[in-house]
Amino acid sequence: MRGAALGVLLVVSAVLTACAGPYQYYEGTGLHDATAAEVAGEWENVEGTRVALRTDGTALLEKLDGHDFDFEEGWRLSGTGTWQLADDEGGQIVRLALTTRTRVERRLPVTAGTDPSAVEPPSTYSWFFYVDRDRHDGLVLFFMYGDPDIGNMYVMTREAGA
């Protein structure tokens, strides 16, 4: 009887922790020394995304995908908005808000099982990017997308030549 109870406990524990992937409870990079002036500038992603973070707190966005599960909807937003650098216990983040959408595009191929015409892309949207440093001490901005168990990272780096 004791062995059966232990077996049930092990199965229940395995089921409860199976969804706790490496980034599901991500608490930040621990970075606290970046400045807003250092974050301001032109950022890009390998998928053609461009984000300009201006020193006055305004932002231009081009082809920015949704974060978390919204990424799977396949839309990419362009427009204008605002940004700010925030600091909390886990590290610094950039809060980016799209306030005026100027264009919507679709990322192809769209994730299997998603009908690209089924979901209307949002007219406003908010992201938060974790702030980290690369091995050369340069800043990197990123957010998680898709299933948190997989740990996909959407990475933005300084635009080449910026």
Side-chain angles (χ1 to χ4, degrees):
M1 185 66 149
R2 198 173 203 174
L6 181 59
V8 169
L9 181 61
L10 288 173
V11 169
V12 169
S13 295
V15 168
L16 291 175
T17 60
C19 294
Y23 296 106
Q24 186 166 359
Y25 303 107
Y26 190 73
E27 294 183 16
T29 63
L31 183 72
H32 297 281
D33 66 352
T35 65
E38 188 179 14
V39 172
E42 307 283 327
W43 297 86
E44 65 184 354
N45 175 284
V46 297
E47 299 293 325
T49 299
R50 296 184 65 221
V51 175
L53 304 176
R54 296 178 174 158
T55 57
D56 66 358
T58 61
L60 295 173
L61 297 74
E62 185 178 331
K63 300 179 185 178
L64 187 54
D65 296 283
H67 62 83
D68 296 329
F69 285 108
D70 289 342
F71 182 85
E72 295 173 4
E73 300 301 330
W75 45 255
R76 308 184 87 200
L77 303 177
S78 297
T80 59
T82 61
W83 73 278
Q84 73 178 80
L85 178 65
D87 198 350
D88 64 20
E89 188 176 314
Q92 291 174 298
I93 59 170
V94 170
R95 291 188 178 117
L96 178 61
L98 174 73
T99 55
T100 304
R101 185 181 81 186
T102 58
R103 189 171 68 238
V104 174
E105 296 179 37
R106 296 288 177 180
R107 184 182 61 254
L108 297 174
V110 175
T111 306
T114 301
D115 177 2
S117 63
V119 177
E120 174 62 26
S123 59
T124 62
Y125 194 78
S126 295
W127 296 261
F128 68 89
F129 290 85
Y130 294 103
V131 180
D132 203 1
R133 294 200 181 273
D134 63 19
R135 64 177 181 247
H136 302 293
D137 208 31
L139 288 184
V140 175
L141 306 178
F142 67 94
F143 62 78
M144 306 303 179
Y145 70 90
D147 186 336
D149 291 334
I150 297 171
N152 291 320
M153 294 172 58
Y154 193 94
V155 180
M156 302 288 292
T157 58
R158 285 281 177 198
E159 191 171 278

